[in-house]
Amino acid sequence: MKVAVIRKEHFNSAHRLYNPKWTDEKNEKVFGKCNNPNFHGHNYDLYVKLIGEPDPETGYVYDMKVLSDLIRDKVIQKFDHKNLNQDTDEFRSLNPTAENIAVVIWNILRKEIDPSLELKVTLYETERNIVEYPAD
Amino acid sequence: MKVAVIRKEHFNSAHRLYNPKWTDEKNEKVFGKCNNPNFHGHNYDLYVKLIGEPDPETGYVYDMKVLSDLIRDKVIQKFDHKNLNQDTDEFRSLNPTAENIAVVIWNILRKEIDPSLELKVTLYETERNIVEYPAD
Amino acid sequence: MKVAVIRKEHFNSAHRLYNPKWTDEKNEKVFGKCNNPNFHGHNYDLYVKLIGEPDPETGYVYDMKVLSDLIRDKVIQKFDHKNLNQDTDEFRSLNPTAENIAVVIWNILRKEIDPSLELKVTLYETERNIVEYPAD
Amino acid sequence: MKVAVIRKEHFNSAHRLYNPKWTDEKNEKVFGKCNNPNFHGHNYDLYVKLIGEPDPETGYVYDMKVLSDLIRDKVIQKFDHKNLNQDTDEFRSLNPTAENIAVVIWNILRKEIDPSLELKVTLYETERNIVEYPAD
Amino acid sequence: MKVAVIRKEHFNSAHRLYNPKWTDEKNEKVFGKCNNPNFHGHNYDLYVKLIGEPDPETGYVYDMKVLSDLIRDKVIQKFDHKNLNQDTDEFRSLNPTAENIAVVIWNILRKEIDPSLELKVTLYETERNIVEYPAD
Amino acid sequence: MKVAVIRKEHFNSAHRLYNPKWTDEKNEKVFGKCNNPNFHGHNYDLYVKLIGEPDPETGYVYDMKVLSDLIRDKVIQKFDHKNLNQDTDEFRSLNPTAENIAVVIWNILRKEIDPSLELKVTLYETERNIVEYPAD
C-alpha cells in the first residue's frame, strides 16, 4: 500500500471573475460581487499531495523541504502578491476561479514531479470554499 | 479528470443518543453520557463536496453561492438551533449519531443536486469526532 | 513582570435562552431561535488563565496538569453532556448566556485557586461568539 | 468586574500599499511585493470586542445577532469583495495597512455603539499578521 | 454505501532522522536540521479513520469512546512524551519519518480492529507536513 | 490610542523538565512524563506583539517583514530543531518550561526592539498549553 505526503503553502492574490465573451450584465448576474472590475483578493492555502512508496534508505516518499522549495519556486513566486488576471500568463484569458487555479497549479507541478508519484492539489480560497483536483 | 468543490456550513443542535427498544440500563451502558435524557448539544461543522467538470463558460463546477444557499435552505434551516430528537421528523425514530446525521443530510441534498455530480458529506460533531458519507 | 499560563478545555451542552418573567412572545422576540423550548446546543471551548510569578524551583506559574484536572473536576464534570437549564443548579434560574456561563465558571474556579494568582476566563460558544471575564 | 463579548466576521479585499508622495523606487523599497501596482488581496478575519456589564434581564452585554448585523451593515458591506484603494472613500488617500484598516473600522463602529461600552478591534490580515486597536 | 468515522488524538515526541548505515556527512546532507544528534520534537496530531456500515441498533460504525480508548492504550501511551529513537522498540532501527510513524501506527491498530472495517491513518507532524496511510 | 502588531512564527524543539538540585524521584513526581530523561518535543507557535503608534508615512507600527526576519534570526535559528536543554546556552541550567521559554524569548527580543515600543510574547507549547509574558 502506498503512502501520501502533503505539504501546505500559501499565497495572497487579487483576482476578478469575468468571462470576456459576455456582457457586463451577464458577468454581474453570474459572478455577483466576485465580478468587481477593481478586483478583490484572498489568502489561498495550498495543499500538495504526492502518493508513492517510501524510499527504504530515507523513509521519505518525497523530501518535504524539497517539495516546499519546489512549490515556492514554481507556484508561490508566480502567484503570491499578484493580480491573477493581470500579472500572470495563466489567467490572462482563463477565469481565475478556485477550480481553474487548482488545475493550473496541478499542471505546473505535474511537469516537475516524477511520473511514478501521483499528484493531487487542494486549494482553500477561503475557510469555507475549497477545491480539489483531481477529485477524490 | 474531475474537480471537487467543497462548501463549509455549520449548525448548532441539541440531541440525545437513545434506542427506544432498549431498557434505560442498556441505553446508559451503550451511550454513556450521550444518553442524558435532558439532552446535550454540539456545534456541527458540515462540509458538502460536489465532484464534476468545470463549466467552460464559468470555470465553476457549481456556483458556491448557490451551493451555500441550497445547504442553508434544505439543511441548516431544518437542524440549526433545534433539538434533533424532538424538533425534526428525520430523527424522531432514528438515533441522531453523527453517522446517521451525515447520511440524512446526504439524502436531503442528493435530491437537490444534478445526478451528474457526485456528492459527499463530511460532518464534524466535535473537533475530534468526524464522519464521512460515503466513505473515501 | 508576571507570566500568564492558559489551559484549554472543552464541554458539550444543551441550553435555551429564556427569561421566566417574560411572556413567550417577548422571549421569542429577544432571544429568537436561541429561545427554542426544546433546546439547542454547543461545543464550548474554555480557556482558563492564571497570572502570577513562576516558582523558581519548578519554572511553573501553575502545574498545567493540576490546572487541567481542576477544571475537569470542578467545571467539565458539571456541564459536559448536560442540559444547562435543567441539569445544573447554577442555571436553573440564571439565563445560560455565554456571558453568564463565563461568570459562573470564574466564580467556581476562583474558590479553588490561590488568591495570589489572578484568574481570567475566555469562553467560545461558537468560533464566532466569544466572551471574556473579567474583560481585558 | 466587566464582561467582554467578541464577534468574528470576515471580508475579502484587494489592496496595494503605496505612499503617493514617494517615488516608485522608494515605494518598492519600503513596501516590497505589497506595492504591486496591480494589487494583491487577503481574507481578513475581523474580531469586534465590546466590554460592559451584562443586562440583568437578558444576560447579554450586547445581542450578538445585533452586533453581527451591525458589523455586516457598516463594515463588511463596505469592504467585502472591494478594492480598498479604489472602491472605498476611507483608503483613497490613506495607505490600507492592517494598522490603518483596524483604526478605520474602529472609527466606523465607535459611532454606532453606545459610549458606555468599550470597543476594541482585532484584524487578521493573514494567519501570521495580526493587528489590534486600541492595543491591549 | 459505507460510512467513515474519524477520531483525532495527539502525542508529543522527540525524534531524530538518521540512517545508521550512512556517514555523518551524508546524514547531515540528506536530513539537514532534522538530523540534529540531540533530537528535536513535535506535537503530532493523529486522525484514525474506520470505514464500515453503521450498526442498525446503535447507529454507530464504531463507538468513538472505545476508539479513543484503543488509540490511547495502544498508540499514545507508547509514543507520548517519548524519544521515538531511544524509548520505543518500533523506531530503534527504523527511521522515524512521518511516513514510517504513520505505517507503524497503522500496523499497531490493524491488529486491534475487526477486519471488516477498513482502516486509514493521517498524521500531522506539523500544520504543514502531513502524511496518510494508506494513501487516498 | 496605540496600535498593536502581532507576528506569528514557529519552531520545533526537544526538551525535558528537570531540576538538577532534586532527586530523580522528586523530579519524576513533580514533572511526571515531562521529565523523561530521553526528552520529548513540541511544535511551538510564537506570537510577538509590538505596541506603538503607526508611522504616518508608512502606516506601519513596525514592518512585519522586518519583524519576521528579526524573530527568525534571533529566536527561531537558536531554538528550531534543537534540544533546548543540551543545544542552547539559555536552558543549560534553566528549566525549559513554557513560562521560562517565553521570558527568555522576551529578553532576547527586548534588546533588538526600540524601547518606545512595548513588547509582549505569547507561546503555544501545545494547542491547550499557552503562556504570555508579560501577562495581560
Side-chain angles (χ1 to χ4, degrees):
Chain A
M1 286 188 304
K2 294 191 169 179
V3 180
V5 295
I6 302 162
R7 176 71 191 173
K8 179 186 177 191
E9 300 289 343
H10 65 97
F11 57 97
N12 311 311
S13 312
H15 78 155
R16 173 200 187 186
L17 299 189
Y18 178 67
N19 183 333
K21 289 179 284 182
W22 291 352
T23 62
D24 286 357
E25 289 69 26
K26 181 154 187 197
N27 271 296
E28 170 68 20
K29 182 156 178 283
V30 172
F31 295 117
K33 60 187 181 175
C34 299
N35 182 237
N36 177 9
N38 288 333
F39 311 100
H40 65 283
H42 295 292
N43 303 335
Y44 291 94
D45 277 329
L46 171 65
Y47 293 80
V48 175
K49 183 194 286 199
L50 301 182
I51 299 176
E53 295 190 26
D55 178 316
E57 294 284 299
T58 60
Y60 280 167
V61 168
Y62 202 91
D63 184 325
M64 294 296 249
K65 179 71 176 61
V66 174
L67 180 56
S68 173
D69 288 347
L70 179 69
I71 301 169
R72 290 181 190 211
D73 283 358
K74 300 296 177 186
V75 176
I76 305 305
Q77 208 157 337
K78 195 186 277 280
F79 297 140
D80 187 36
H81 283 72
K82 295 291 168 56
N83 182 309
L84 297 178
N85 305 69
Q86 296 189 331
D87 294 331
T88 75
D89 293 337
E90 284 81 359
F91 298 105
R92 222 171 291 280
S93 60
L94 178 68
N95 202 15
T97 59
E99 289 92 327
N100 283 339
I101 300 172
V103 173
V104 160
I105 290 173
W106 189 91
N107 284 324
I108 291 170
L109 291 174
R110 185 65 280 180
K111 297 187 201 88
E112 310 291 335
I113 305 278
D114 189 274
S116 66
L117 294 164
E118 193 178 348
L119 169 68
K120 297 188 179 196
V121 160
T122 300
L123 185 72
Y124 282 67
E125 188 178 69
T126 70
E127 196 178 68
R128 300 181 156 241
N129 286 347
I130 310 158
V131 298
E132 293 175 357
Y133 180 73
D136 271 333
Chain B
M1 285 188 306
K2 293 191 169 179
V3 179
V5 295
I6 302 161
R7 177 69 190 173
K8 179 187 176 190
E9 300 289 344
H10 65 98
F11 57 97
N12 310 312
S13 311
H15 78 153
R16 173 200 188 187
L17 299 188
Y18 178 68
N19 183 332
K21 290 179 283 181
W22 291 352
T23 62
D24 285 357
E25 290 68 27
K26 181 155 187 194
N27 272 296
E28 170 68 20
K29 183 157 179 280
V30 172
F31 296 117
K33 60 187 182 177
C34 300
N35 182 235
N36 176 9
N38 288 334
F39 311 102
H40 66 284
H42 296 292
N43 303 334
Y44 291 94
D45 277 329
L46 172 64
Y47 293 81
V48 175
K49 184 194 284 200
L50 302 181
I51 300 176
E53 295 190 26
D55 178 316
E57 293 285 299
T58 60
Y60 281 168
V61 168
Y62 203 92
D63 184 326
M64 294 293 249
K65 178 72 176 60
V66 174
L67 180 57
S68 172
D69 288 347
L70 178 69
I71 301 169
R72 291 180 190 213
D73 284 359
K74 301 296 177 186
V75 177
I76 305 305
Q77 208 156 338
K78 195 185 278 280
F79 298 139
D80 187 36
H81 282 74
K82 295 290 168 56
N83 182 311
L84 296 178
N85 306 69
Q86 296 189 331
D87 295 331
T88 75
D89 293 337
E90 285 80 357
F91 299 104
R92 224 172 288 281
S93 61
L94 178 68
N95 201 15
T97 58
E99 289 91 327
N100 282 338
I101 300 172
V103 173
V104 161
I105 290 173
W106 188 91
N107 284 325
I108 291 171
L109 291 174
R110 185 64 280 181
K111 297 189 201 85
E112 310 290 336
I113 305 278
D114 190 276
S116 67
L117 293 164
E118 192 178 348
L119 169 67
K120 298 189 178 195
V121 160
T122 301
L123 186 71
Y124 283 65
E125 189 178 66
T126 69
E127 196 179 68
R128 302 183 153 240
N129 286 347
I130 311 159
V131 298
E132 295 175 356
Y133 180 74
D136 270 333
Chain C
M1 285 189 306
K2 294 191 169 178
V3 180
V5 295
I6 302 160
R7 177 69 191 174
K8 179 186 178 190
E9 300 289 345
H10 65 97
F11 57 97
N12 311 312
S13 312
H15 78 154
R16 173 201 186 185
L17 299 188
Y18 177 68
N19 183 333
K21 290 179 283 182
W22 291 351
T23 62
D24 286 357
E25 289 69 26
K26 182 155 186 195
N27 271 297
E28 169 69 20
K29 183 156 179 280
V30 172
F31 295 117
K33 60 187 181 176
C34 299
N35 182 236
N36 177 8
N38 288 333
F39 312 100
H40 65 284
H42 295 292
N43 303 336
Y44 291 93
D45 277 329
L46 170 65
Y47 293 80
V48 175
K49 184 194 284 199
L50 301 181
I51 299 176
E53 294 190 27
D55 179 315
E57 293 285 299
T58 59
Y60 280 168
V61 168
Y62 202 92
D63 184 324
M64 295 295 250
K65 178 71 177 60
V66 174
L67 180 55
S68 171
D69 288 346
L70 178 69
I71 302 168
R72 291 180 190 211
D73 283 357
K74 301 296 177 184
V75 177
I76 305 305
Q77 208 157 338
K78 197 186 273 282
F79 298 141
D80 187 35
H81 283 73
K82 295 291 169 54
N83 182 310
L84 297 178
N85 305 69
Q86 297 190 330
D87 295 329
T88 76
D89 292 338
E90 286 80 358
F91 299 106
R92 222 171 292 278
S93 61
L94 179 68
N95 202 14
T97 59
E99 289 91 329
N100 283 339
I101 300 172
V103 173
V104 161
I105 291 173
W106 189 91
N107 284 325
I108 291 171
L109 292 174
R110 186 63 282 180
K111 298 188 201 87
E112 310 290 336
I113 305 277
D114 189 275
S116 66
L117 294 164
E118 192 177 347
L119 170 68
K120 298 189 177 193
V121 159
T122 300
L123 185 72
Y124 283 67
E125 190 178 68
T126 69
E127 195 179 69
R128 303 185 152 237
N129 286 349
I130 311 159
V131 298
E132 294 175 358
Y133 179 74
D136 271 332
Chain D
M1 287 189 304
K2 295 192 168 176
V3 180
V5 295
I6 302 161
R7 176 70 190 174
K8 179 187 176 190
E9 299 289 344
H10 65 97
F11 57 97
N12 311 312
S13 312
H15 78 154
R16 174 201 187 184
L17 299 188
Y18 177 68
N19 183 333
K21 290 179 284 182
W22 291 351
T23 61
D24 286 357
E25 288 69 26
K26 182 155 186 196
N27 271 295
E28 169 69 20
K29 183 157 176 282
V30 172
F31 295 117
K33 60 188 183 176
C34 300
N35 182 237
N36 177 9
N38 288 333
F39 311 100
H40 66 284
H42 296 292
N43 303 335
Y44 291 94
D45 277 330
L46 171 65
Y47 293 80
V48 175
K49 184 194 286 199
L50 301 182
I51 299 177
E53 294 189 26
D55 179 316
E57 293 286 299
T58 59
Y60 281 166
V61 168
Y62 203 92
D63 184 324
M64 294 295 250
K65 178 73 176 60
V66 174
L67 180 56
S68 171
D69 288 347
L70 178 69
I71 301 168
R72 292 181 189 213
D73 283 358
K74 301 296 177 184
V75 177
I76 305 305
Q77 208 157 338
K78 195 186 276 282
F79 298 140
D80 187 35
H81 283 74
K82 295 290 169 56
N83 182 310
L84 297 178
N85 305 70
Q86 296 189 330
D87 294 330
T88 77
D89 292 338
E90 285 80 359
F91 298 106
R92 223 172 291 281
S93 60
L94 178 68
N95 201 14
T97 58
E99 290 91 329
N100 283 338
I101 300 171
V103 173
V104 161
I105 290 173
W106 188 90
N107 284 325
I108 291 170
L109 292 174
R110 186 64 281 182
K111 299 188 199 84
E112 311 289 337
I113 306 277
D114 190 274
S116 67
L117 294 163
E118 192 178 349
L119 169 67
K120 297 189 180 195
V121 159
T122 301
L123 184 73
Y124 282 66
E125 189 177 69
T126 69
E127 195 180 67
R128 302 182 153 240
N129 286 347
I130 311 159
V131 299
E132 294 176 357
Y133 180 73
D136 270 332
Chain E
M1 285 188 307
K2 294 192 168 178
V3 179
V5 295
I6 302 160
R7 176 70 190 174
K8 179 188 177 190
E9 300 290 343
H10 65 97
F11 57 97
N12 311 312
S13 313
H15 78 154
R16 174 201 186 185
L17 300 188
Y18 177 67
N19 184 332
K21 289 180 283 182
W22 291 352
T23 62
D24 286 358
E25 289 68 29
K26 181 153 187 197
N27 271 296
E28 169 68 21
K29 182 156 179 278
V30 172
F31 295 117
K33 59 187 182 178
C34 299
N35 181 237
N36 177 8
N38 288 333
F39 311 102
H40 65 285
H42 295 291
N43 303 335
Y44 291 93
D45 277 331
L46 171 66
Y47 293 80
V48 175
K49 184 194 285 198
L50 301 182
I51 300 177
E53 293 189 28
D55 178 315
E57 293 285 297
T58 59
Y60 281 168
V61 168
Y62 202 91
D63 184 323
M64 293 296 248
K65 178 73 175 59
V66 174
L67 180 56
S68 172
D69 289 346
L70 179 68
I71 301 169
R72 292 181 190 211
D73 284 358
K74 301 295 178 186
V75 177
I76 305 306
Q77 208 157 338
K78 197 186 276 281
F79 298 139
D80 188 35
H81 283 71
K82 294 290 169 57
N83 182 310
L84 297 178
N85 306 69
Q86 296 189 331
D87 295 331
T88 76
D89 292 338
E90 285 80 0
F91 298 106
R92 223 172 289 279
S93 60
L94 179 68
N95 201 15
T97 59
E99 291 90 328
N100 282 339
I101 300 172
V103 173
V104 161
I105 290 173
W106 189 91
N107 284 325
I108 291 170
L109 291 174
R110 186 63 281 181
K111 298 188 201 85
E112 310 290 336
I113 305 277
D114 189 275
S116 67
L117 295 163
E118 192 177 348
L119 169 67
K120 297 188 180 195
V121 160
T122 301
L123 185 73
Y124 282 66
E125 188 178 68
T126 70
E127 196 179 67
R128 302 182 154 240
N129 286 348
I130 311 158
V131 298
E132 294 175 358
Y133 180 73
D136 270 333
Chain F
M1 285 188 306
K2 294 191 169 178
V3 180
V5 296
I6 301 161
R7 176 70 191 174
K8 179 186 176 191
E9 300 290 342
H10 66 98
F11 57 97
N12 310 312
S13 312
H15 78 152
R16 174 201 186 184
L17 300 188
Y18 178 67
N19 184 332
K21 291 180 283 180
W22 291 352
T23 62
D24 286 357
E25 289 68 28
K26 181 155 185 194
N27 271 297
E28 169 67 21
K29 183 156 178 280
V30 172
F31 295 117
K33 60 186 181 178
C34 300
N35 182 236
N36 177 10
N38 288 333
F39 311 101
H40 64 284
H42 295 292
N43 303 335
Y44 291 94
D45 276 330
L46 171 66
Y47 293 81
V48 174
K49 185 195 285 201
L50 302 181
I51 300 177
E53 294 189 28
D55 178 316
E57 294 284 298
T58 60
Y60 281 166
V61 168
Y62 203 93
D63 184 324
M64 294 294 249
K65 178 71 176 62
V66 174
L67 180 56
S68 172
D69 288 347
L70 179 68
I71 301 168
R72 292 181 189 210
D73 284 358
K74 300 295 178 185
V75 177
I76 306 305
Q77 208 157 339
K78 197 186 276 281
F79 298 140
D80 187 35
H81 282 73
K82 295 289 168 57
N83 182 309
L84 297 178
N85 305 69
Q86 296 191 329
D87 295 330
T88 77
D89 292 338
E90 286 80 359
F91 298 106
R92 223 173 289 280
S93 60
L94 179 68
N95 201 14
T97 59
E99 291 91 329
N100 283 339
I101 300 172
V103 173
V104 160
I105 290 173
W106 189 91
N107 284 325
I108 291 171
L109 291 173
R110 185 63 281 181
K111 298 188 200 87
E112 310 291 336
I113 305 278
D114 190 276
S116 67
L117 295 163
E118 193 177 347
L119 169 67
K120 297 189 179 195
V121 160
T122 300
L123 185 72
Y124 283 66
E125 189 178 68
T126 69
E127 195 179 68
R128 303 182 153 239
N129 285 349
I130 311 159
V131 299
E132 294 175 357
Y133 180 73
D136 269 332

